[in-house]
Amino acid sequence: MEMTTSGSNGDSKGDYVNRDGLNGGNSGDTTEITVPLSLPKRMTPVEGNNLYRLRDRKFVLEDKKRLCAWALGVALLGILLMICRAEMCPSVYHPGSSYSFIISCSISMSTACLLVLIIAFHYKDIRLFIIDHHHVDWRIAMTGHKMLLISLELLVCAVHPVGTYWEVALSTPEWRTQRLDANTSLSPTASVLCVSARHGERVADAELLLSLLMFLRLYLVHRAILLHSKVLLSASYRSIGSLNNINFTFRFVLKVLMDKYPARTLLAFILLIWLVASWMLTLCERQKQQVKTGNMDTALWLIAITFLTVGYGDVSPETSCGKGVCLLTGVMGVACTAMLVAVVTKKLALNKGEKHVHFFMLDIQISKRIRHAAANVLRECWLRHRTNLCRRSNAEQRRHQRCLLEAIRVFRHLRLKQRKLRDYASEMVDLPKMQMIMCDLSANWNNSYRELEQRILSMEQKLDDLNQCFQQTSELLSRALCHRNPDIR
């Protein structure tokens, strides 16, 4: 809505309005001032809220990806510090020393940071749920199952070795003699956990269990793969998946990766299992002295032959922990072998075009052999008939009879083989081709039907035009006759 004010002597029509509201099209005294009384049209509150909601959702997803990446990095840092602590003690420093305390504090600090990042990640997840469901109460998202999963995740991430905090700075001669005895009894590459001998085996076993359980933090890898995958980031994938009721979980992303990059995915998975299981076996077997599997090279060999389910028997684990690691490695080896067989089978399988060419050539070869077999049947029939006409010996008749039966058997066998080949080829190749042909025929029939309808309509229109022309012709004839003979009506 606008209010316009014009001069008394001016024309109400102007060419344009300048920045000051004056009509600059005519050079006369006419002035026209345009004052807008209403603001420009804005979007409705619903559209604005939707745009803000989409923007907030995008920001929350970016925060989730960032937090997941940081959590994975901190988890890997904690595992790396734990490995350094187990490898360096007591060969580099003794338990209870300042170096051991610093590394243990670093592991605890990384664990605390990881817990904070996990809590922040789930906070962003709850915010995303609230945005997706139009700002509902956050307590709706906190179901019992969700709370159980969060608690279990926090428990898994909180596990780390804490035996160093029980130690006291041991600098007595007794510890030095124990250290010298341990260094002389152990191999150069072996080392025990950073716990003094006075605490007993229970503390050492608990420390070993806590160290091994830190590898459970690797579950964050699947979350990072899911959040950083192109499948989840692509709008096309999400739109088509929502139309087909597909949930974008890690299982779906793993299937996509195995379909696109099967060799890389399987190789990375096998290498990760091999290295982690080998180090875990080494850590388990170091509890006992004079054990071959306490060395990393022997552990790599044992894990490899266990993973491949070969088991030469030259090396075997001695501790219960090592036996459990080998058992889990064997189970994972069977699963990876099954996946490897599936990948190799898929790579070696023929595609549709290759199958069509292969079956076509086999059909041609069998057809040639069938023709030769039919010719052999006819030849043996003729020889058998000629033998009967010439009344030769019974032995020659029996020989030709046997040859005839053998030729008939070969002919039937080849016909059966050709029938099986054509049935298999029709199942694998020809059925999709036949479906495409039927679709093309159906489309052609529909087009022909439409053209026939159009032609019938045009014929009806032409018939109507002819009928009108006939009526006009009859009227003209009657008028002409009436004009020549006025007596005729």
Side-chain angles (χ1 to χ4, degrees):
M1 182 178 179
E2 295 180 352
M3 182 180 67
T4 303
T5 305
S6 302
S8 59
N9 298 325
D11 191 0
S12 61
K13 295 181 180 180
D15 293 336
Y16 63 91
V17 179
N18 58 12
R19 294 180 182 178
D20 298 331
L22 300 178
N23 188 1
N26 298 325
S27 59
D29 298 333
T30 305
T31 58
E32 182 177 352
I33 301 174
T34 304
V35 180
L37 297 181
S38 61
L39 295 175
K41 184 180 179 181
R42 295 182 179 179
M43 62 182 68
T44 60
V46 177
E47 295 176 352
N49 291 332
N50 289 332
L51 292 177
Y52 291 143
R53 189 162 59 87
L54 291 175
R55 185 195 62 182
D56 295 341
R57 191 179 190 278
K58 180 181 178 181
F59 290 158
V60 171
L61 282 175
E62 293 292 334
D63 293 339
K64 282 185 64 176
K65 289 193 297 182
R66 195 179 301 109
L67 289 172
C68 182
W70 276 102
L72 180 60
V74 172
L76 293 178
L77 177 62
I79 294 174
L80 182 62
L81 290 173
M82 183 269 297
I83 294 174
C84 294
R85 174 178 176 272
E87 293 293 332
M88 296 172 63
C89 180
S91 59
V92 178
Y93 55 86
H94 59 82
S97 63
S98 58
Y99 297 104
S100 176
F101 183 75
I102 290 172
I103 294 179
S104 299
C105 289
S106 301
I107 295 174
S108 300
M109 290 176 63
S110 66
T111 302
C113 294
L114 179 60
L115 294 176
V116 173
L117 291 172
I118 294 297
I119 293 173
F121 176 83
H122 286 288
Y123 171 73
K124 295 295 182 180
D125 195 13
I126 294 172
R127 282 201 59 192
L128 184 63
F129 179 84
I130 293 172
I131 293 172
D132 289 338
H133 293 80
H134 299 280
H135 300 282
V136 296
D137 192 357
W138 63 271
R139 287 171 289 188
I140 298 176
M142 297 299 294
T143 60
H145 182 69
K146 182 76 173 178
M147 294 178 66
L148 180 62
L149 289 179
I150 295 175
S151 302
L152 183 62
E153 187 174 352
L154 292 175
L155 179 63
V156 167
C157 295
V159 172
H160 67 285
V162 293
T164 306
Y165 300 117
W166 302 340
E167 295 291 335
V168 182
L170 298 176
S171 58
T172 60
E174 297 178 356
W175 163 249
R176 293 176 182 174
T177 55
Q178 290 177 1
R179 182 183 178 186
L180 291 174
D181 295 338
N183 290 334
T184 54
S185 61
L186 292 176
S187 60
T189 59
S191 62
V192 296
L193 292 172
C194 198
V195 178
S196 63
R198 65 176 184 175
H199 287 290
E201 295 183 356
R202 292 184 178 180
V203 177
D205 293 339
E207 196 76 356
L208 173 63
L209 181 62
L210 293 176
S211 299
L212 295 180
L213 289 178
M214 282 191 69
F215 284 99
L216 293 177
R217 299 181 181 184
L218 295 177
Y219 81 94
L220 294 170
V221 174
H222 91 277
R223 181 179 292 172
I225 293 175
L226 176 62
L227 291 177
H228 292 81
S229 64
K230 295 181 180 179
V231 175
L232 189 65
L233 299 178
S234 176
S236 302
Y237 266 100
R238 292 200 304 270
S239 58
I240 297 175
S242 61
L243 293 175
N244 292 276
N245 295 325
I246 300 297
N247 294 323
F248 289 93
T249 58
F250 177 70
R251 184 183 302 175
F252 177 73
V253 175
L254 183 61
K255 289 179 181 179
V256 172
L257 291 176
M258 287 296 295
D259 184 70
K260 294 177 66 177
Y261 313 105
R264 301 178 192 176
T265 306
L266 198 58
L267 181 62
F269 187 66
I270 290 174
L271 287 178
L272 180 64
I273 292 177
W274 184 36
L275 295 176
V276 171
S278 299
W279 190 84
M280 291 172 67
L281 179 63
T282 304
L283 190 65
C284 292
E285 294 295 311
R286 284 176 183 172
Q287 298 181 28
K288 290 191 175 182
Q289 300 178 0
Q290 304 296 333
V291 177
K292 294 182 180 179
T293 52
N295 300 328
M296 189 64 183
D297 53 351
T298 309
L300 288 172
W301 167 250
L302 179 58
I303 291 298
I305 61 176
T306 306
F307 188 84
L308 298 175
T309 63
V310 178
Y312 292 109
D314 54 346
V315 184
S316 60
E318 298 293 336
T319 60
S320 300
C321 177
K323 293 177 182 178
V325 172
C326 290
L327 178 62
L328 294 177
T329 304
V331 173
M332 297 302 296
V334 172
C336 290
T337 303
M339 290 190 292
L340 181 62
V341 170
V343 169
V344 173
T345 303
K346 183 179 178 181
K347 291 297 181 182
L348 295 178
L350 299 175
N351 55 25
K352 291 183 179 180
E354 293 171 347
K355 287 179 182 178
H356 182 71
V357 173
H358 178 62
F359 291 148
F360 184 75
M361 295 304 299
L362 287 179
D363 194 7
I364 290 176
Q365 294 174 5
I366 294 175
S367 299
K368 290 180 180 179
R369 294 174 62 185
I370 286 174
R371 287 196 293 269
H372 288 295
N376 291 332
V377 171
L378 294 177
R379 185 187 65 181
E380 296 299 333
C381 286
W382 166 247
L383 293 176
R384 178 76 172 79
H385 179 67
R386 190 179 67 177
T387 304
N388 290 333
L389 291 178
C390 295
R391 295 180 182 180
R392 295 183 181 180
S393 62
N394 293 329
E396 189 175 0
Q397 291 180 3
R398 287 193 297 270
R399 184 172 64 83
H400 287 294
Q401 184 70 28
R402 285 194 295 270
C403 292
L404 176 62
L405 294 176
E406 180 65 21
I408 293 173
R409 187 192 66 80
V410 172
F411 178 75
R412 288 179 177 176
H413 175 70
L414 291 174
R415 288 293 301 273
L416 180 62
K417 190 175 180 180
Q418 187 185 31
R419 189 181 301 113
K420 289 182 178 179
L421 179 64
R422 289 182 176 178
D423 291 340
Y424 184 74
S426 64
E427 290 178 359
M428 299 302 295
V429 178
D430 291 340
L431 285 179
K433 184 177 179 180
M434 185 63 67
Q435 184 179 3
M436 294 177 63
I437 292 173
M438 293 301 296
C439 291
D440 293 337
L441 288 175
S442 178
N444 292 331
W445 288 343
N446 292 329
N447 294 330
S448 301
Y449 179 72
R450 293 190 187 96
E451 291 179 359
L452 182 60
E453 284 185 346
Q454 293 177 359
R455 289 181 179 181
I456 290 172
L457 292 175
S458 63
M459 289 177 63
E460 290 180 353
Q461 187 177 2
K462 290 179 180 179
L463 288 174
D464 293 337
D465 295 338
L466 287 174
N467 189 12
Q468 292 178 1
C469 290
F470 287 147
Q471 291 178 359
Q472 293 176 2
T473 304
S474 62
E475 291 178 358
L476 290 174
L477 288 174
S478 62
R479 290 178 183 176
L481 292 174
C482 292
H483 181 69
R484 289 185 181 182
N485 298 319
D487 295 336
I488 299 175
R489 293 181 178 177

